[in-house]
Amino acid sequence: MTIFARRARASAGRMHPELSLVSYTLLGHLEEQGGCRATDLAAHYALDKSTVSRQVAALERAALIERRLDPEDHRVQVLHLTEAGREILAQVTRSRRAAFRARLAGWPEEDLVRFAAYLERYNAHAGGSGAE
């Protein structure tokens, strides 16, 4: 698992120099959710609010996300992807998928099916949190 995590972090840097694995994950979550509060990101990934705050600030400086007032509660700011954020996320996602395809290209079908089942089982056990 440690090697898997190290490879994931290293590949994130190769896919796009401005996008760490954590940044990529946060952008993906914002896209999936259609936006959310920074506190929701912290809770979902079991991260400290200060950690998320630093990541959010970096993503804002890179113009990949923006804050918008919540239409139901103007005291709350919701994070959303910018067009540039969507483009970079799509680019990195395409690159990651191509890398996975290349890495798994020689695997027999039955190994791929088994591997996918193990990943689904592992992810189901994680209880929805990205922290495990």
Side-chain angles (χ1 to χ4, degrees), residues 58-129:
L59 292 169
E60 282 182 298
R61 280 191 305 275
L64 302 178
I65 64 171
E66 63 186 2
R67 294 175 190 263
R68 298 183 200 156
L69 290 178
D70 185 329
E72 296 177 17
D73 184 349
H74 291 289
R75 297 170 296 170
V76 175
Q77 293 185 337
V78 179
L79 304 170
H80 290 274
L81 294 178
T82 62
E83 190 56 39
R86 274 193 255 318
E87 289 173 14
I88 286 178
L89 182 61
Q91 171 192 353
V92 172
T93 298
R94 283 190 302 272
S95 296
R96 288 176 61 95
R97 286 181 181 162
F100 283 126
R101 274 198 247 22
R103 186 169 203 123
L104 299 173
W107 287 34
E109 181 72 22
E110 62 271 10
D111 287 353
L112 290 170
V113 169
R114 193 174 309 119
F115 183 58
Y118 290 147
L119 286 174
E120 287 176 7
R121 182 176 167 192
Y122 177 81
N123 287 332
H125 186 275
S129 171

